[in-house]
Amino acid sequence: MKNFKSHFIFNKQERSGIFFLLLIVLVLLVSHFFVKIFPYESESTIALNGLVAEEIENLKTLSAQKEASTFYPFNPNFISDAKGYALGMSPKELDRLYQFRSADKFVNSAKEFQEVTGISDSLLNYISPNFKFPEWTQKSDKQFSKNKNLVVRSRNKPHAHTEIRKDLNTATAEDLKKIYGIGEKLSNRIIKFRDRLGGFLVNEQLYDVYGLESEVVIRTLEKFTVLKQPEVQQININTASAEQISQLIYISYELAEDIVFYREDNNGITTFDELRNIDSFPSEKMERIALYLLL
């Protein structure tokens, strides 16, 4: 036992040595702790951080381009800030468009869009395939002249047969199934969509039917058209609740809440164009949605 205890008995010099050893270990531990919190940045580290930041910016750009490429066709007259940035437009280019639109003017072609905004040729070529303008703005003089000549020739033939289009709002599922590309499922979907609308107000609403291809819509409108518009009760967007606004088929309850929040933050909505400031608002459908709203 005496021999065992002797291992824990130190003289003054040994105790001092142990104390200094522990002190050195403590200093090293504290130094290591502070180095981890406040690392020294050498020139190579700074350069590396710069490369990382540049790579992050490149990834952001690629992400924005990928997001832009997934956009569905839209009317460029109603581009929001968020969509404009995602497409690659600068704030100045967006401001030129907004200034042009503030005078109640509309661009009706990709070329005119470039003239107004000043975007580059490469950006125009990248985003213009997604542009969708109202059909009547796309009829060229050549097409108009051709159609006019056809009408004149038709009038000169007393027995010429002129097909009269039927009312899209009274067409039955069986009528619609006669169109190539429309079967049982799509015909019922069109009828259901029409019932939820309370009737089509404009032909372009047919494009909003889920799963109905543009080519099929064009063939359908050769046989059917809106002859008699239904009476709709328009919603006052400055007084209606979120629940009332969400009754419109184009607007979800979440979007209706965003509209109400925007209205309260801005002391009311004075023009429909203001709605494009709401990120989740479907600007490409602005013309159709406005038919159901009041200011």
Side-chain angles (χ1 to χ4, degrees):
M1 180 64 70
K2 291 181 179 179
N3 294 333
F4 179 76
K5 288 184 177 179
S6 66
H7 291 291
F8 297 94
I9 297 174
F10 305 101
N11 57 36
K12 185 177 181 180
Q13 187 177 5
E14 290 173 336
R15 287 197 298 271
S16 299
I18 292 172
F19 172 76
F20 283 111
L21 178 62
L22 291 175
L23 182 62
I24 292 172
V25 172
L26 180 62
V27 170
L28 289 175
L29 289 174
V30 172
S31 300
H32 180 69
F33 175 76
F34 278 99
V35 167
K36 289 185 68 176
I37 297 180
F38 306 104
Y40 171 73
E41 290 191 357
S42 63
E43 292 184 2
S44 60
T45 303
I46 295 174
L48 181 61
N49 289 340
L51 291 174
V52 171
E54 184 179 354
E55 185 64 24
I56 291 174
E57 288 300 319
N58 291 334
L59 290 174
K60 286 181 179 180
T61 302
L62 290 174
S63 176
Q65 291 177 350
K66 182 177 180 182
E67 182 181 354
S69 66
T70 59
F71 280 139
Y72 293 103
F74 63 94
N75 189 331
N77 285 289
F78 303 106
I79 293 178
S80 64
D81 286 336
K83 180 176 287 189
Y85 297 147
L87 290 171
M89 296 180 65
S90 68
K92 288 184 178 180
E93 291 166 347
L94 287 170
D95 288 341
R96 294 189 194 109
L97 176 64
Y98 298 157
Q99 185 177 1
F100 180 81
R101 289 286 293 109
S102 66
D104 274 340
K105 296 179 181 179
F106 292 86
V107 294
N108 295 319
S109 67
K111 182 179 179 181
E112 188 176 2
F113 181 82
Q114 184 183 34
E115 292 174 352
V116 170
T117 60
I119 63 174
S120 64
D121 291 338
S122 59
L123 181 57
L124 179 69
N125 293 333
Y126 183 73
I127 66 177
S128 60
N130 287 327
F131 287 176
K132 181 179 179 181
F133 298 98
E135 290 183 6
W136 62 269
T137 65
Q138 304 307 298
K139 294 181 179 179
S140 64
D141 294 338
K142 183 177 180 180
Q143 289 175 314
F144 177 78
S145 177
K146 181 179 178 181
N147 292 337
K148 183 178 179 181
N149 291 334
L150 287 174
V151 172
V152 171
R153 287 201 299 270
S154 177
R155 287 177 179 175
N156 291 335
K157 295 180 180 180
H159 299 292
H161 175 69
T162 302
E163 186 174 1
I164 299 176
R165 289 186 292 176
K166 297 180 180 180
D167 193 347
L168 185 59
N169 281 319
T170 59
T172 64
E174 292 300 321
D175 293 332
L176 294 170
K177 282 193 291 185
K178 296 177 182 178
I179 304 298
Y180 177 72
I182 298 180
E184 184 76 25
K185 193 174 183 179
L186 281 176
S187 61
N188 289 328
R189 189 177 293 169
I190 293 171
I191 299 299
K192 184 178 179 180
F193 184 78
R194 183 181 68 189
D195 291 342
R196 290 184 63 190
L197 284 173
F200 292 109
L201 289 177
V202 291
N203 290 333
E204 286 72 21
Q205 287 179 297
L206 199 58
Y207 286 97
D208 300 329
V209 178
Y210 176 75
L212 198 61
E213 300 291 339
S214 299
E215 295 79 5
V216 180
V217 172
I218 293 172
R219 284 197 292 270
T220 304
L221 294 179
E222 290 175 353
K223 303 291 183 181
F224 300 92
T225 188
V226 175
L227 295 176
K228 184 178 180 181
Q229 291 183 333
E231 293 184 4
V232 296
Q233 185 174 0
Q234 293 176 303
I235 301 171
N236 191 317
I237 204 167
N238 279 308
T239 59
S241 64
E243 184 175 357
Q244 291 171 323
I245 297 174
S246 66
Q247 297 302 310
L248 180 55
I249 191 173
Y250 294 103
I251 299 179
S252 65
Y253 186 79
E254 291 76 12
L255 175 56
E257 284 187 321
D258 290 341
I259 292 174
V260 172
F261 291 147
Y262 178 87
R263 180 183 73 195
E264 293 175 350
D265 289 342
N266 294 274
N267 296 320
I269 299 173
T270 57
T271 66
F272 290 131
D273 278 348
E274 287 184 58
L275 294 174
R276 58 180 167 76
N277 295 324
I278 302 173
D279 290 341
S280 56
F281 191 85
S283 299
E284 69 278 3
K285 298 180 181 179
M286 173 73 78
E287 295 173 348
R288 300 195 280 280
I289 295 176
L291 297 171
Y292 297 88
L293 301 176
L294 287 174
L295 293 174

